[in-house]
Amino acid sequence: MQWQGEIPRAWAELAAMGEAASPAIPTLIGILNESGQPEIAREAARQALESMGAKAVPALIAMLGEENDHLPDNYAIYTLAQIGAPSVPSLIDALDEGDELVQMAACVALGKLGSSAKAALPALKSLTGMLSFAPGSVKEIARAAVEAIEAETG
C-alpha cells in the first residue's frame, strides 16, 4: 500500500506545527476512534496529538470511557502520559467523573506520569479510602497509581 508512506510524512508535518495544528484535533481523534483505521494511521494520529500538547488534552479526556473498543482509550491514556504535566489537571477532574471506565483510565494515565502527577495524590488517595464509594476496580487502580507516583517522588 503506497499511501502508508505518506502517513508518517503527514504526521511529521503536523508535529512540526505543534499547537498551530490544533484545528486538526477532531480529525485526529476520529482516526483514533475508527476501528477500521490501520495501526500506522492510528499511531501517526496519536503522535500528532502528542505534539500538540495541552491543546489536545480536552479531546483526549473526552475519549476516555466512550462506547468503543478499548484501543482508543489505550491511545488516549498513552498520549496523555506522553504529554505529561499539562494533562494532570484534566486527569484529576476526570477522577470525579461518575463513569467507572473514565476514572480507571485517568488513574492509569496518572500512574504512568509518575512524579509529574504528584498534584493528583490527594484525589487518588480519596478514591482508595474506606469512605470512598468508588467501585473496587477503581480503588485498586487508584492505589496502583498512588504507589507509582510515590515511588518516583520518594
Side-chain angles (χ1 to χ4, degrees), residues 22-30 32-33 49 52-66 68 72-73 75-77 79-80 83 87 90-91:
S22 62
I25 290 173
T27 301
L28 295 168
I29 294 293
L32 291 183
N33 277 326
L49 287 162
M52 294 174 200
K55 292 264 187 191
V57 169
L60 290 164
I61 293 288
M63 281 181 64
L64 300 177
E66 284 186 357
N68 55 33
D73 279 354
Y75 279 111
I77 291 166
T79 306
L80 289 163
I83 289 171
S87 64
S90 294
L91 287 167

Side-chain angles (χ1 to χ4, degrees), residues 13-138:
E13 290 178 19
L14 281 173
M17 291 173 64
E19 288 187 5
S22 62
I25 290 173
T27 301
L28 295 168
I29 294 293
I31 291 169
L32 291 183
N33 277 326
E34 176 58 49
S35 62
Q37 289 291 340
E39 176 64 24
I40 191 169
R42 282 178 150 180
E43 179 57 20
R46 192 208 62 74
Q47 290 177 4
L49 287 162
E50 180 183 326
S51 75
M52 294 174 200
K55 292 264 187 191
V57 169
L60 290 164
I61 293 288
M63 281 181 64
L64 300 177
E66 284 186 357
E67 296 289 326
N68 55 33
D69 60 20
H70 292 288
L71 192 58
D73 279 354
N74 292 340
Y75 279 111
I77 291 166
Y78 182 74
T79 306
L80 289 163
Q82 292 301 109
I83 289 171
S87 64
V88 172
S90 294
L91 287 167
I92 292 170
D93 290 344
L95 294 176
D96 290 332
E97 188 72 34
D99 186 293
E100 180 179 351
L101 293 176
V102 173
Q103 289 176 321
M104 291 185 337
C107 288
V108 169
L110 288 164
K112 290 186 178 301
L113 282 166
S115 62
S116 297
K118 189 175 181 179
L121 283 172
L124 287 166
K125 287 180 179 179
S126 74
L127 284 176
T128 66
M130 290 184 56
L131 298 178
S132 172
F133 292 106
S137 53
V138 172

